[in-house]
Amino acid sequence: MARLTSEDLRGASDLREEEIELDTIGGSVVVQGLGAAASNEAQSQALEMKTIGATQLARVTTALLEEIQLFHGLKDPRLSREEVRGFMERCGPAIRKIIAKIDELSGVDKKAIEEATARFPSGGNGTPDDGETRVHAASTGRGGSAVPARART
């Protein structure tokens, strides 16, 4: 395999697109895997840090993460962020199918996420996840636990 030049890299793209059928709403859309910049934006904007005592907890707000993924990954038709929010309020199975395809095209390893979630189960207070926030969870709605870190003092 030949070594790439800087010119090769400046013009390169390995993002894949695919048309998918949304049976629940009767039509198709074109989605694309997320590039590193869009993926990082989605993760950093959806990350919420909370300090409880001397412990910091990192939580990912799934709804915001999926909104950003949908905004960047839905190629045809294109929707504004406000239109994405409205679409997400009115649809469920169609959104899940789109997000799952975006994750697949982006190279997200769902099995690794599920294994990590199993190794670090929920925080032991006995209350079920309310679905509002997730931690290092698959964007298809699987729950996860908070990730503790030492707070700076």
Coordinates of all heavy atoms in Angstrom, one line a residue, residues 47-141:
L47 N -22.0 15.8 26.8 CA -21.4 15.4 28.1 C -21.7 16.4 29.2 O -21.5 17.6 29.0 CB -19.9 15.3 27.9 CG -19.2 14.7 29.1 CD1 -19.6 13.3 29.4 CD2 -17.7 14.8 28.9
E48 N -22.2 16.0 30.3 CA -22.5 16.8 31.4 C -21.7 16.3 32.6 O -21.7 15.1 32.9 CB -24.0 16.8 31.7 CG -24.4 17.5 33.0 CD -25.9 17.3 33.3 OE1 -26.6 16.7 32.5 OE2 -26.2 17.6 34.4
M49 N -20.9 17.2 33.2 CA -20.1 16.8 34.4 C -20.8 17.4 35.7 O -21.2 18.5 35.7 CB -18.7 17.4 34.3 CG -17.9 16.9 33.2 SD -17.6 15.1 33.2 CE -16.4 15.0 34.6
K50 N -21.0 16.5 36.7 CA -21.5 16.9 37.9 C -20.6 16.5 39.0 O -20.0 15.4 39.0 CB -22.9 16.2 38.2 CG -24.0 16.7 37.3 CD -25.3 16.1 37.7 CE -26.4 16.6 36.9 NZ -27.7 16.2 37.4
T51 N -20.5 17.3 40.0 CA -19.6 17.0 41.2 C -20.5 16.8 42.4 O -21.4 17.6 42.7 CB -18.7 18.2 41.5 OG1 -17.8 18.4 40.4 CG2 -17.8 17.8 42.7
I52 N -20.4 15.6 43.0 CA -21.1 15.2 44.2 C -20.1 14.9 45.3 O -19.4 13.9 45.2 CB -22.1 14.0 43.9 CG1 -23.1 14.4 42.8 CG2 -22.8 13.6 45.2 CD1 -23.9 13.3 42.4
G53 N -20.0 15.8 46.2 CA -18.9 15.6 47.2 C -17.6 15.7 46.5 O -17.3 16.7 45.9
A54 N -16.7 14.7 46.7 CA -15.4 14.7 46.1 C -15.4 13.9 44.8 O -14.3 13.6 44.2 CB -14.4 14.1 47.0
T55 N -16.6 13.5 44.3 CA -16.6 12.6 43.1 C -17.3 13.4 41.9 O -18.3 14.1 42.1 CB -17.5 11.4 43.4 OG1 -16.9 10.7 44.5 CG2 -17.6 10.5 42.2
Q56 N -16.6 13.3 40.8 CA -17.2 13.9 39.6 C -17.9 12.8 38.8 O -17.3 11.7 38.6 CB -16.2 14.5 38.7 CG -15.8 15.9 39.1 CD -15.0 16.6 38.1 OE1 -14.2 16.0 37.4 NE2 -15.3 17.9 37.8
L57 N -19.1 13.0 38.3 CA -19.8 12.1 37.4 C -19.9 12.6 36.0 O -20.3 13.8 35.9 CB -21.2 11.8 38.0 CG -21.2 11.2 39.4 CD1 -22.6 11.0 39.9 CD2 -20.5 9.8 39.4
A58 N -19.6 11.8 35.0 CA -19.8 12.2 33.7 C -21.1 11.5 33.1 O -21.2 10.3 33.2 CB -18.6 11.8 32.8
R59 N -22.0 12.3 32.6 CA -23.2 11.8 32.1 C -23.5 12.3 30.7 O -23.2 13.5 30.4 CB -24.4 12.1 33.0 CG -24.3 11.6 34.4 CD -25.5 11.9 35.3 NE -26.6 11.1 35.2 CZ -26.7 9.8 35.4 NH1 -25.6 9.1 35.5 NH2 -27.9 9.2 35.4
V60 N -23.9 11.4 29.8 CA -24.2 11.8 28.5 C -25.7 12.0 28.3 O -26.4 11.0 28.6 CB -23.6 10.8 27.5 CG1 -24.1 11.1 26.0 CG2 -22.1 10.7 27.6
T61 N -26.1 13.1 27.8 CA -27.6 13.3 27.6 C -27.9 12.8 26.2 O -27.5 13.3 25.2 CB -27.9 14.9 27.6 OG1 -27.4 15.4 28.9 CG2 -29.4 15.1 27.5
T62 N -28.6 11.6 26.2 CA -28.8 10.9 25.0 C -29.6 11.7 24.0 O -29.3 11.6 22.8 CB -29.6 9.5 25.3 OG1 -28.8 8.8 26.3 CG2 -29.7 8.7 24.1
A63 N -30.6 12.4 24.5 CA -31.5 13.1 23.5 C -30.6 14.2 22.8 O -30.8 14.3 21.5 CB -32.6 13.8 24.3
L64 N -29.8 14.9 23.4 CA -28.9 15.9 22.8 C -27.9 15.2 21.9 O -27.7 15.6 20.7 CB -28.2 16.7 23.8 CG -27.3 17.8 23.2 CD1 -28.0 18.8 22.3 CD2 -26.6 18.6 24.4
L65 N -27.3 14.1 22.3 CA -26.4 13.3 21.5 C -27.0 12.9 20.2 O -26.5 13.1 19.1 CB -25.8 12.1 22.2 CG -24.9 11.2 21.5 CD1 -23.6 12.0 21.2 CD2 -24.6 10.0 22.3
E66 N -28.2 12.3 20.3 CA -28.9 11.9 19.1 C -29.4 13.0 18.2 O -29.4 12.9 17.0 CB -30.1 11.0 19.5 CG -29.6 9.7 20.1 CD -30.8 8.7 20.4 OE1 -32.0 9.2 20.4 OE2 -30.5 7.6 20.8
E67 N -29.7 14.1 18.8 CA -30.1 15.3 18.0 C -29.0 15.8 17.1 O -29.1 16.0 15.9 CB -30.6 16.4 18.9 CG -30.9 17.7 18.2 CD -31.2 18.9 19.2 OE1 -31.8 18.6 20.2 OE2 -30.7 20.0 18.9
I68 N -27.8 15.8 17.7 CA -26.6 16.3 17.0 C -26.2 15.2 15.9 O -25.9 15.6 14.8 CB -25.4 16.6 17.9 CG1 -25.8 17.7 18.9 CG2 -24.2 16.9 17.1 CD1 -24.9 17.9 20.0
Q69 N -26.3 13.9 16.3 CA -26.0 12.9 15.3 C -27.0 13.0 14.1 O -26.5 12.9 13.0 CB -26.2 11.5 15.9 CG -25.1 11.1 16.9 CD -25.3 9.7 17.4 OE1 -26.2 9.5 18.2 NE2 -24.5 8.8 17.0
L70 N -28.2 13.2 14.4 CA -29.2 13.2 13.3 C -29.0 14.5 12.5 O -29.1 14.4 11.2 CB -30.6 13.3 14.0 CG -31.8 13.0 13.1 CD1 -31.7 11.6 12.4 CD2 -33.1 13.1 13.9
F71 N -28.7 15.6 13.1 CA -28.4 16.8 12.4 C -27.3 16.7 11.4 O -27.4 17.1 10.2 CB -28.1 18.0 13.3 CG -27.7 19.3 12.7 CD1 -28.7 20.0 12.0 CD2 -26.4 19.7 12.7 CE1 -28.3 21.2 11.3 CE2 -26.1 20.9 12.0 CZ -27.0 21.6 11.4
H72 N -26.2 16.0 11.8 CA -25.0 15.9 11.0 C -25.1 14.7 10.0 O -24.6 14.7 8.9 CB -23.8 15.7 11.8 CG -23.3 17.0 12.4 ND1 -22.8 18.1 11.7 CD2 -23.3 17.4 13.7 CE1 -22.5 19.0 12.5 NE2 -22.8 18.6 13.8
G73 N -25.9 13.6 10.5 CA -25.9 12.4 9.7 C -27.0 12.2 8.7 O -26.9 11.4 7.8
L74 N -28.1 13.0 8.8 CA -29.2 12.9 7.9 C -28.8 13.9 6.7 O -28.8 15.1 6.8 CB -30.5 13.4 8.5 CG -31.7 13.3 7.7 CD1 -32.0 11.8 7.3 CD2 -32.9 13.8 8.5
K75 N -28.5 13.2 5.5 CA -28.1 14.0 4.4 C -29.2 14.4 3.4 O -29.1 15.4 2.7 CB -27.0 13.2 3.6 CG -25.8 12.9 4.4 CD -25.2 14.0 5.2 CE -24.3 14.9 4.5 NZ -23.8 16.0 5.3
D76 N -30.2 13.6 3.2 CA -31.3 13.9 2.3 C -32.5 13.3 2.8 O -32.7 12.1 2.9 CB -30.9 13.4 0.9 CG -31.9 13.9 -0.1 OD1 -32.6 14.9 0.1 OD2 -32.1 13.2 -1.2
P77 N -33.5 14.1 3.3 CA -33.4 15.6 3.3 C -32.6 16.1 4.5 O -32.5 15.5 5.5 CB -34.9 15.9 3.5 CG -35.5 14.8 4.3 CD -34.7 13.6 3.9
R78 N -32.1 17.4 4.3 CA -31.4 18.1 5.3 C -32.4 18.7 6.2 O -33.5 19.2 5.7 CB -30.5 19.1 4.8 CG -29.3 18.6 4.0 CD -28.2 18.0 4.8 NE -27.7 18.9 5.8 CZ -27.1 18.5 6.9 NH1 -27.0 17.3 7.2 NH2 -26.6 19.4 7.7
L79 N -32.2 18.8 7.5 CA -33.1 19.4 8.5 C -32.3 20.4 9.3 O -31.1 20.1 9.7 CB -33.8 18.4 9.4 CG -34.7 17.4 8.8 CD1 -35.2 16.4 9.8 CD2 -35.8 18.0 8.0
S80 N -32.9 21.5 9.7 CA -32.3 22.4 10.7 C -32.3 21.7 12.1 O -33.0 20.7 12.3 CB -33.0 23.7 10.8 OG -34.3 23.5 11.3
R81 N -31.6 22.3 13.0 CA -31.6 21.7 14.4 C -33.0 21.8 15.0 O -33.4 20.8 15.6 CB -30.6 22.5 15.3 CG -29.1 22.2 15.1 CD -28.7 20.8 15.6 NE -28.7 20.7 17.0 CZ -27.6 20.9 17.8 NH1 -26.5 21.3 17.3 NH2 -27.7 20.8 19.1
E82 N -33.7 22.8 14.7 CA -35.1 23.0 15.2 C -36.0 21.9 14.6 O -36.8 21.3 15.2 CB -35.6 24.4 14.9 CG -37.0 24.6 15.5 CD -37.4 26.1 15.4 OE1 -36.6 27.0 15.5 OE2 -38.6 26.2 15.1
E83 N -35.8 21.7 13.3 CA -36.6 20.7 12.6 C -36.3 19.3 13.1 O -37.1 18.4 13.2 CB -36.4 20.7 11.1 CG -37.0 22.0 10.4 CD -36.5 22.2 9.0 OE1 -35.4 21.9 8.6 OE2 -37.3 22.7 8.2
V84 N -35.0 19.0 13.4 CA -34.6 17.7 13.9 C -35.3 17.5 15.3 O -35.8 16.4 15.5 CB -33.0 17.7 14.1 CG1 -32.6 16.5 15.0 CG2 -32.3 17.6 12.8
R85 N -35.3 18.5 16.1 CA -36.0 18.4 17.4 C -37.5 18.0 17.2 O -38.0 17.2 17.9 CB -35.8 19.7 18.3 CG -34.5 19.8 19.0 CD -34.4 20.9 19.9 NE -34.4 22.2 19.3 CZ -33.3 22.8 18.8 NH1 -32.1 22.2 19.0 NH2 -33.3 24.0 18.3
G86 N -38.1 18.7 16.3 CA -39.5 18.4 16.1 C -39.7 17.0 15.5 O -40.7 16.3 16.0
F87 N -38.9 16.6 14.6 CA -39.0 15.2 14.1 C -38.8 14.2 15.2 O -39.5 13.2 15.3 CB -37.9 15.1 13.0 CG -37.8 13.7 12.3 CD1 -38.9 13.0 12.0 CD2 -36.5 13.2 12.0 CE1 -38.8 11.7 11.4 CE2 -36.4 12.0 11.4 CZ -37.5 11.2 11.1
M88 N -37.8 14.5 16.1 CA -37.6 13.6 17.2 C -38.7 13.5 18.2 O -39.0 12.5 18.8 CB -36.3 13.9 17.9 CG -35.0 13.7 17.1 SD -33.5 14.2 17.9 CE -33.4 12.9 19.2
E89 N -39.5 14.6 18.3 CA -40.6 14.6 19.2 C -41.8 13.8 18.7 O -42.6 13.3 19.4 CB -41.1 16.1 19.5 CG -40.1 16.8 20.4 CD -40.5 18.3 20.5 OE1 -41.5 18.7 19.9 OE2 -39.7 19.0 21.1
R90 N -41.9 13.7 17.4 CA -43.0 13.1 16.7 C -42.8 11.6 16.3 O -43.7 10.9 16.0 CB -43.5 13.8 15.5 CG -44.0 15.2 15.8 CD -44.5 15.9 14.5 NE -43.6 16.0 13.4 CZ -42.6 16.9 13.4 NH1 -42.4 17.8 14.3 NH2 -41.7 16.8 12.3
C91 N -41.5 11.2 16.3 CA -41.2 9.8 15.8 C -40.3 9.1 16.8 O -39.5 9.7 17.5 CB -40.5 9.9 14.4 SG -41.6 10.6 13.2
G92 N -40.4 7.8 16.8 CA -39.6 6.9 17.6 C -38.9 5.9 16.8 O -37.7 6.0 16.7
P93 N -39.6 4.9 16.3 CA -38.9 3.8 15.5 C -38.1 4.3 14.4 O -37.0 3.8 14.1 CB -40.1 2.9 15.1 CG -41.1 3.1 16.1 CD -41.0 4.6 16.5
A94 N -38.6 5.3 13.7 CA -37.9 5.9 12.5 C -36.5 6.5 13.0 O -35.5 6.3 12.4 CB -38.7 6.9 11.8
I95 N -36.6 7.2 14.1 CA -35.4 7.9 14.7 C -34.4 6.8 15.1 O -33.2 6.9 14.8 CB -35.7 8.7 15.9 CG1 -36.7 9.9 15.5 CG2 -34.4 9.2 16.6 CD1 -36.1 10.9 14.5
R96 N -34.9 5.7 15.7 CA -34.0 4.6 16.2 C -33.3 4.0 15.0 O -32.1 3.7 15.0 CB -34.7 3.6 16.9 CG -35.3 4.0 18.2 CD -34.2 4.2 19.3 NE -34.7 5.0 20.4 CZ -34.3 6.2 20.7 NH1 -33.3 6.7 20.0 NH2 -34.8 6.8 21.7
K97 N -34.0 3.8 13.9 CA -33.4 3.2 12.7 C -32.4 4.1 12.1 O -31.3 3.7 11.7 CB -34.5 2.9 11.7 CG -34.1 2.1 10.5 CD -35.2 1.5 9.7 CE -34.7 0.6 8.6 NZ -35.8 0.1 7.8
I98 N -32.7 5.4 12.0 CA -31.7 6.4 11.4 C -30.4 6.4 12.3 O -29.3 6.3 11.8 CB -32.3 7.8 11.3 CG1 -33.5 7.8 10.3 CG2 -31.3 8.8 10.9 CD1 -34.3 9.0 10.3
I99 N -30.6 6.5 13.6 CA -29.4 6.6 14.5 C -28.6 5.4 14.4 O -27.4 5.4 14.4 CB -29.9 6.9 16.0 CG1 -30.5 8.3 16.1 CG2 -28.7 6.8 16.9 CD1 -29.6 9.5 15.8
A100 N -29.3 4.2 14.4 CA -28.5 2.9 14.3 C -27.7 2.9 13.0 O -26.6 2.4 13.0 CB -29.5 1.8 14.4
K101 N -28.3 3.4 11.9 CA -27.5 3.3 10.7 C -26.4 4.3 10.7 O -25.3 4.0 10.2 CB -28.5 3.6 9.5 CG -27.8 3.5 8.1 CD -27.1 2.2 7.9 CE -28.0 1.1 7.6 NZ -27.3 -0.2 7.2
I102 N -26.6 5.5 11.3 CA -25.5 6.5 11.4 C -24.4 5.9 12.2 O -23.2 6.0 11.9 CB -26.0 7.8 12.0 CG1 -27.0 8.5 11.0 CG2 -24.9 8.7 12.4 CD1 -27.7 9.7 11.6
D103 N -24.7 5.3 13.3 CA -23.7 4.6 14.2 C -23.0 3.6 13.4 O -21.7 3.5 13.5 CB -24.4 4.0 15.4 CG -24.8 5.0 16.5 OD1 -24.3 6.1 16.4 OD2 -25.6 4.6 17.4
E104 N -23.7 2.7 12.7 CA -23.0 1.7 11.9 C -22.1 2.3 10.8 O -20.9 1.8 10.7 CB -24.1 0.8 11.1 CG -23.6 -0.2 10.2 CD -24.6 -0.9 9.4 OE1 -25.8 -1.1 9.9 OE2 -24.3 -1.2 8.2
L105 N -22.5 3.3 10.1 CA -21.7 3.9 9.1 C -20.5 4.7 9.7 O -19.5 4.9 9.0 CB -22.5 4.8 8.2 CG -23.6 4.1 7.3 CD1 -24.5 5.2 6.7 CD2 -23.0 3.2 6.3
S106 N -20.7 5.1 11.0 CA -19.6 5.8 11.6 C -18.6 4.9 12.3 O -17.6 5.3 12.8 CB -20.2 6.7 12.7 OG -21.1 7.6 12.2
G107 N -18.9 3.6 12.3 CA -18.0 2.6 12.9 C -18.1 2.5 14.4 O -17.2 2.1 15.1
V108 N -19.3 2.9 14.9 CA -19.5 2.7 16.3 C -19.7 1.2 16.6 O -20.5 0.5 16.0 CB -20.8 3.5 16.8 CG1 -21.2 3.2 18.2 CG2 -20.5 5.0 16.6
D109 N -19.0 0.7 17.6 CA -19.0 -0.7 18.0 C -20.0 -0.9 19.1 O -19.7 -0.7 20.3 CB -17.6 -1.1 18.4 CG -17.5 -2.6 18.7 OD1 -18.6 -3.3 18.8 OD2 -16.4 -3.1 18.9
K110 N -21.3 -1.2 18.8 CA -22.3 -1.4 19.8 C -22.0 -2.5 20.8 O -22.3 -2.4 21.9 CB -23.7 -1.8 19.1 CG -24.2 -0.7 18.2 CD -24.7 0.5 19.0 CE -25.4 1.4 18.1 NZ -25.8 2.6 18.8
K111 N -21.4 -3.6 20.3 CA -21.0 -4.7 21.2 C -20.1 -4.2 22.3 O -20.2 -4.6 23.5 CB -20.4 -5.9 20.4 CG -20.2 -7.1 21.3 CD -19.8 -8.3 20.5 CE -19.7 -9.4 21.4 NZ -19.3 -10.6 21.1
A112 N -19.1 -3.5 21.9 CA -18.1 -3.0 22.9 C -18.8 -2.0 23.9 O -18.5 -2.1 25.1 CB -17.0 -2.2 22.2
I113 N -19.7 -1.2 23.4 CA -20.5 -0.3 24.3 C -21.3 -1.2 25.3 O -21.3 -0.9 26.5 CB -21.4 0.6 23.5 CG1 -20.5 1.6 22.8 CG2 -22.3 1.4 24.5 CD1 -21.3 2.4 21.7
E114 N -22.0 -2.2 24.8 CA -22.8 -3.0 25.7 C -21.9 -3.8 26.7 O -22.3 -3.9 27.9 CB -23.6 -4.0 24.8 CG -24.7 -3.3 24.1 CD -25.5 -4.2 23.1 OE1 -25.2 -5.5 23.1 OE2 -26.3 -3.7 22.4
E115 N -20.8 -4.3 26.3 CA -19.9 -4.9 27.2 C -19.4 -4.0 28.3 O -19.3 -4.4 29.5 CB -18.7 -5.5 26.4 CG -19.1 -6.8 25.6 CD -17.9 -7.2 24.7 OE1 -16.8 -6.6 24.7 OE2 -18.2 -8.2 24.0
A116 N -19.0 -2.8 27.9 CA -18.6 -1.8 28.9 C -19.7 -1.5 29.9 O -19.5 -1.3 31.1 CB -18.1 -0.5 28.2
T117 N -20.9 -1.3 29.4 CA -22.1 -1.1 30.2 C -22.3 -2.2 31.2 O -22.6 -2.0 32.4 CB -23.4 -0.9 29.4 OG1 -23.1 0.2 28.5 CG2 -24.6 -0.6 30.2
A118 N -22.1 -3.5 30.8 CA -22.3 -4.6 31.6 C -21.2 -4.6 32.7 O -21.4 -5.0 33.9 CB -22.2 -5.9 30.8
R119 N -20.0 -4.2 32.4 CA -18.9 -4.2 33.3 C -19.0 -3.1 34.4 O -18.5 -3.2 35.5 CB -17.5 -4.1 32.6 CG -17.0 -5.3 32.0 CD -15.6 -5.2 31.7 NE -15.3 -3.9 31.0 CZ -14.6 -3.7 29.9 NH1 -14.0 -4.7 29.4 NH2 -14.5 -2.5 29.4
F120 N -19.6 -2.0 34.0 CA -19.8 -0.9 34.9 C -21.3 -0.6 35.1 O -21.8 0.3 34.6 CB -19.1 0.4 34.4 CG -17.7 0.2 34.2 CD1 -17.2 -0.1 32.9 CD2 -16.8 0.2 35.2 CE1 -15.8 -0.3 32.7 CE2 -15.4 0.0 35.0 CZ -14.9 -0.2 33.7
P121 N -22.0 -1.5 35.9 CA -23.4 -1.3 36.0 C -23.9 -0.1 36.8 O -23.0 0.6 37.4 CB -23.8 -2.6 36.8 CG -22.6 -3.0 37.5 CD -21.5 -2.6 36.7
S122 N -25.2 0.2 36.7 CA -25.7 1.4 37.3 C -25.4 1.5 38.8 O -25.1 0.6 39.5 CB -27.3 1.3 37.2 OG -27.8 2.6 37.5
G123 N -25.4 2.8 39.2 CA -24.9 3.2 40.5 C -25.5 2.7 41.8 O -25.3 3.3 42.8
G124 N -26.2 1.7 41.9 CA -26.6 1.0 43.1 C -27.6 1.6 44.0 O -27.8 1.2 45.1
N125 N -28.3 2.7 43.5 CA -29.3 3.3 44.4 C -30.7 2.6 44.2 O -31.7 2.9 44.8 CB -29.5 4.8 44.1 CG -29.9 5.1 42.7 OD1 -30.2 4.2 41.9 ND2 -30.0 6.4 42.4
G126 N -30.8 1.6 43.3 CA -32.0 0.8 43.2 C -33.1 1.4 42.4 O -34.1 0.9 42.2
T127 N -32.9 2.6 41.9 CA -33.9 3.3 41.1 C -33.6 3.1 39.6 O -32.5 3.1 39.2 CB -34.0 4.8 41.4 OG1 -32.7 5.4 41.1 CG2 -34.3 5.0 42.8
P128 N -34.7 2.8 38.8 CA -34.5 2.6 37.4 C -34.0 3.9 36.7 O -34.3 5.0 37.2 CB -35.8 2.1 36.9 CG -36.8 2.7 37.9 CD -36.1 2.7 39.2
D129 N -33.4 3.7 35.6 CA -32.9 4.8 34.7 C -34.2 5.5 34.2 O -35.1 4.9 33.7 CB -32.1 4.3 33.6 CG -31.4 5.4 32.8 OD1 -31.8 6.5 32.9 OD2 -30.5 5.0 32.0
D130 N -34.2 6.9 34.3 CA -35.4 7.6 33.8 C -35.3 7.9 32.3 O -36.3 8.5 31.8 CB -35.5 8.9 34.6 CG -34.3 9.9 34.3 OD1 -33.5 9.6 33.5 OD2 -34.3 10.9 35.0
G131 N -34.3 7.5 31.6 CA -34.2 7.7 30.2 C -33.8 9.0 29.7 O -33.6 9.3 28.6
E132 N -33.6 10.0 30.7 CA -33.2 11.3 30.3 C -31.7 11.4 30.1 O -31.3 12.2 29.2 CB -33.6 12.3 31.4 CG -35.1 12.5 31.5 CD -35.7 13.1 30.2 OE1 -35.2 14.0 29.7 OE2 -36.7 12.5 29.7
T133 N -30.9 10.7 30.9 CA -29.5 10.8 30.7 C -28.9 9.4 30.6 O -29.5 8.5 31.2 CB -28.8 11.6 31.8 OG1 -29.1 11.0 33.0 CG2 -29.2 13.0 31.8
R134 N -27.9 9.3 29.9 CA -27.2 8.0 29.7 C -25.7 8.2 29.9 O -25.2 9.3 29.6 CB -27.4 7.4 28.4 CG -28.8 7.3 27.9 CD -29.5 6.1 28.6 NE -30.8 6.1 28.0 CZ -31.8 5.5 28.7 NH1 -31.7 5.0 29.8 NH2 -33.0 5.5 28.1
V135 N -25.0 7.2 30.2 CA -23.5 7.3 30.4 C -22.9 6.3 29.5 O -23.1 5.1 29.6 CB -23.1 7.1 31.8 CG1 -21.6 7.2 32.0 CG2 -23.8 8.1 32.7
H136 N -22.1 6.8 28.5 CA -21.3 5.9 27.6 C -22.2 4.8 27.1 O -21.9 3.6 27.1 CB -20.1 5.3 28.3 CG -19.2 6.4 28.8 ND1 -18.6 7.3 28.0 CD2 -18.9 6.8 30.0 CE1 -17.8 8.1 28.7 NE2 -18.0 7.8 29.9
A137 N -23.4 5.2 26.7 CA -24.4 4.2 26.3 C -24.6 4.3 24.8 O -24.4 5.3 24.1 CB -25.7 4.5 27.0
A138 N -25.2 3.2 24.2 CA -25.5 3.2 22.8 C -26.6 4.2 22.6 O -27.5 4.4 23.4 CB -26.0 1.8 22.4
S139 N -26.6 4.9 21.5 CA -27.5 6.0 21.2 C -28.9 5.4 21.0 O -29.9 6.2 20.8 CB -27.1 6.8 20.0 OG -27.0 6.0 18.9
T140 N -29.1 4.1 20.9 CA -30.4 3.5 20.7 C -31.2 3.4 22.0 O -32.2 2.8 22.0 CB -30.3 2.2 20.0 OG1 -29.5 1.3 20.8 CG2 -29.8 2.3 18.6
G141 N -30.7 4.0 23.1 CA -31.4 4.1 24.3 C -31.0 3.2 25.4 O -31.7 3.1 26.4

